[in-house]
Amino acid sequence: MKLWGGRFSKNTDELMDDFNSSIHFDSRMYRQDILGSAAHVKMLGTTGIIPQSDADLIYKTLFEILDDIENGKIEFEVSAEDIHMNIETILISRIGDVGKRLHTGRSRNDQVALDIRMYLKDECVKIKDKLKTLLLTLIKLSEENLDTIMPGYTHLQRAQPITLAHHLMAYFQMFRRDIERLDDCVKRINIMPLGSGALAGTTYPLDRQMVASELKFDAISENSLDSVSDRDFAIELASCLSIVMMHLSRFSEEIILWCTSEFSFIELDDAYSTGSSIMPQKKNPDVAELVRGKTGRVYGSLISLLTMMKGLPLAYNKDMQEDKEAIFNAIDTVNLCLPIFTKMLDTMRIKKDNMKNSAKGGFTNATDMADYLVKKGIPFRDAHEIIGRMVSYCLDKNISIDNLSMDEFKSFSSLIEEDVYTAICLETCVNERKTPGGPSKISVMSQIDNGRVFINSLKA
Ligand code: ARG
């Protein structure tokens, strides 16, 4: 018989059991469910709402059940619907009537809200940790590539010379913000809903604060209706995770481009590449492509959650059971993508010469050539026009600006002198860009220093 079977005169259809049940996806919250129940029953005993000896027996048995689950000794039942009723059913089967006191002053509505919050808190710690490993890898690669000149792009057209370190540290900033966003999201996950009952609290003198501190929550929720019907925190997390994936996906796109023979900036390690079943020469960047592809799932989770919630009247509605697969899928995807992406980066071979040659070939020093004339007294707009003509001349001759002879330079402006060659060499172009945030070695080194301070500020 169902735990809620009292008012029913017949059993549910088997189809109904399958349809209604969430055990095949919410069983992963077994640990949180048991810890939540343990805190609840401890409070029920302490406050005298149920006899202390009953509370003690329930508490002890809950942990025995936890052990048995972890040792694979328990199979959950679809007919018991969800993880909450599965565990309660097992408890009652072990200690009989005493076990029936556990659910005093509680509803599955506040119970499930508690479990998800606990589960998401735990997962955020893991994801943050993986982001931290990625940040450390970016710092390491940046330090190794402070002098690796490459073209910076706008519109995917070669624009101005930068270094690979500068480029990688741009991603550092994105993933750093992702960690900060997660931290902020956790502030709102970290609110304890138990004690809200089905929707309208309870007449028992529950000590909600005690449960909150037992379970290491920052505070208790303020309004019982909101507590059981709020899934903002899951939506917010899905949004944070979508942004993580968006960053990984942009980075993946660049990795994929850089691996092409047209760019040939990097070669991925064999351990993180695949071949073709027909074309013997192929080496494909599947990791980056899958990360880019899986981004869609996480966005999908966010949209599912938003759509699932948009028409729900207060308070709990069964629609909300759909929250779990969506947010779990987003979490699983991010947990899967981050470590392999980090390893792929860590092991890639960087073809420094190709990067530099590409920067040389693409007139990436044209702005510096214009700036050179400005420093000789020519207004920037006029300098821009002169160098535009110079580039057009070079394109016709298929050479780069620094290949021009002194006579050729003079034909564009008599102000150009021998010092032009050092002024427009790529190393000067990069290292004279000393503005904070720029690509010069000095500036990138200070970005790395600040990055380290951030990483050290993260709790271990
Ligand atoms: N499995 C349910 C869920 O995930 C638990 C809450 C059920 N509450 C209810 N009143 N039927 O949402």
Side-chain angles (χ1 to χ4, degrees):
M1 177 154 121
K2 299 270 191 271
L3 286 179
W4 41 253
R7 65 97 70 213
F8 288 78
S9 52
K10 63 173 171 178
N11 286 334
T12 43
D13 190 286
E14 214 177 292
L15 208 56
M16 174 62 188
D17 278 348
D18 282 342
F19 184 69
N20 196 35
S21 164
S22 53
I23 188 64
H24 63 282
F25 53 81
D26 65 17
S27 60
R28 65 160 84 188
M29 303 193 302
Y30 70 86
R31 195 182 168 76
Q32 289 76 17
D33 194 72
I34 289 179
L35 294 177
S37 288
H40 177 65
V41 83
K42 190 167 172 186
M43 179 275 293
L44 291 179
T46 308
T47 49
I49 296 170
I50 69 170
Q52 187 64 54
S53 56
D54 287 359
D56 291 344
L57 180 60
I58 294 173
Y59 188 88
K60 178 171 139 288
T61 312
L62 281 170
F63 284 97
E64 288 165 9
I65 296 172
L66 179 58
D67 266 357
D68 288 349
I69 294 173
E70 286 185 336
N71 294 318
K73 291 190 193 150
I74 285 179
E75 261 189 45
F76 297 122
E77 306 281 345
V78 168
S79 60
E81 206 173 307
D82 54 26
I83 186 62
H84 326 294
M85 290 200 295
N86 264 276
I87 287 172
E88 199 181 333
T89 306
I90 298 164
L91 178 76
I92 295 170
S93 77
R94 293 192 180 184
I95 57 174
D97 285 348
V98 174
K100 294 181 184 167
R101 295 196 192 280
L102 167 64
H103 211 50
T104 311
R106 188 176 71 168
S107 156
R108 267 187 301 150
N109 297 352
D110 56 353
Q111 186 177 359
V112 71
L114 174 74
D115 291 6
I116 312 170
R117 284 173 182 271
M118 289 173 68
Y119 185 84
L120 298 187
K121 266 208 292 180
D122 292 346
E123 289 302 314
C124 284
V125 173
K126 292 185 207 159
I127 292 172
K128 255 183 78 176
D129 209 53
K130 291 180 175 135
L131 281 166
K132 181 178 164 187
T133 310
L134 173 55
L135 289 186
L136 285 166
T137 302
L138 288 171
I139 291 237
K140 189 197 99 182
L141 290 173
S142 297
E143 279 185 320
E144 291 165 5
N145 288 286
L146 283 163
D147 298 309
T148 307
I149 290 179
M150 66 179 278
Y153 294 83
T154 63
H155 313 269
L156 203 56
Q157 305 285 322
R158 282 173 278 188
Q160 290 175 342
I162 57 170
T163 63
L164 180 58
H166 189 222
H167 197 104
L168 294 173
M169 286 308 287
Y171 281 104
F172 183 99
Q173 298 305 324
M174 298 176 224
F175 294 117
R176 170 199 171 133
R177 289 194 296 273
D178 288 337
I179 290 185
E180 290 170 340
R181 254 186 293 275
L182 275 179
D183 278 343
D184 205 62
C185 177
V186 168
K187 284 188 207 156
R188 281 170 291 280
I189 297 179
N190 211 354
I191 303 291
M192 210 290 295
L194 209 64
S196 304
L199 75 160
T202 175
T203 54
Y204 298 102
L206 302 181
D207 185 347
R208 298 189 61 206
Q209 207 60 62
M210 174 183 165
V211 177
S213 43
E214 196 72 27
L215 296 172
K216 305 210 162 36
F217 276 93
D218 287 344
I220 60 173
S221 57
E222 292 263 354
N223 178 294
S224 63
L225 285 177
D226 177 50
S227 313
V228 292
S229 63
D230 166 28
R231 294 292 182 272
D232 294 7
F233 58 89
I235 295 173
E236 210 179 330
L237 180 58
S239 140
C240 295
L241 297 180
S242 292
I243 298 176
V244 171
M245 288 306 293
M246 179 270 289
H247 290 148
L248 285 175
S249 187
R250 289 183 80 178
F251 206 164
S252 292
E253 171 66 14
E254 296 200 312
I255 296 288
I256 294 162
L257 282 173
W258 291 355
C259 285
T260 59
S261 31
E262 286 75 9
F263 272 82
S264 199
F265 283 2
I266 56 169
E267 184 182 352
L268 295 180
D269 194 84
D270 282 2
Y272 300 101
S273 309
T274 56
S276 155
S277 57
I278 174 171
M279 297 166 282
Q281 84 284 11
K282 288 299 287 291
K283 181 168 177 184
N284 296 327
D286 285 24
V287 170
E289 291 173 75
L290 277 172
V291 168
R292 189 178 59 182
K294 283 174 189 293
T295 301
R297 287 178 183 244
V298 181
Y299 292 5
S301 298
L302 173 60
I303 295 298
S304 298
L305 288 166
L306 283 167
T307 313
M308 181 265 286
M309 289 299 287
K310 75 184 262 293
L312 297 187
L314 299 186
Y316 178 84
N317 300 270
K318 190 70 173 232
D319 315 45
M320 290 161 71
Q321 178 164 287
E322 293 286 311
D323 63 350
K324 281 172 275 310
E325 279 165 299
I327 193 66
F328 292 166
N329 197 305
I331 287 170
D332 291 349
T333 305
V334 171
N335 267 321
L336 193 67
C337 291
L338 277 172
I340 189 147
F341 186 88
T342 304
K343 285 207 163 136
M344 175 193 70
L345 279 188
D346 199 21
T347 53
M348 69 190 178
R349 186 169 67 84
I350 293 153
K351 300 179 178 173
K352 297 187 182 187
D353 289 347
N354 289 355
M355 286 188 169
K356 184 158 184 191
N357 286 335
S358 173
K360 266 192 192 146
F363 296 101
T364 56
N365 53 1
T367 314
D368 297 82
M369 188 60 231
D371 288 343
Y372 173 87
L373 288 183
V374 170
K375 283 169 196 158
K376 301 269 176 186
I378 297 185
F380 181 76
R381 270 295 147 239
D382 293 338
H384 189 287
E385 154 77 23
I386 295 169
I387 306 309
R389 279 191 279 110
M390 189 183 277
V391 167
S392 167
Y393 175 86
C394 290
L395 279 170
D396 282 346
K397 294 194 72 183
N398 198 20
I399 55 172
S400 59
I401 298 178
D402 29 294
N403 295 138
L404 292 172
S405 69
M406 209 52 227
D407 283 348
E408 286 172 309
F409 270 127
K410 292 272 188 213
S411 72
F412 289 97
S413 165
S414 57
L415 293 172
I416 302 178
E417 289 167 82
E418 272 299 326
D419 61 350
V420 71
Y421 292 105
T422 32
I424 63 166
C425 85
L426 293 180
E427 282 76 9
T428 315
C429 297
V430 166
N431 285 319
E432 285 307 307
R433 290 187 150 70
K434 295 194 192 89
T435 31
S440 73
K441 190 168 182 169
I442 273 224
S443 161
V444 176
M445 272 161 52
S446 97
Q447 294 170 41
I448 291 175
D449 284 347
N450 292 340
R452 269 227 185 74
V453 171
F454 173 74
I455 292 176
N456 292 336
S457 77
L458 297 171
K459 279 186 249 112

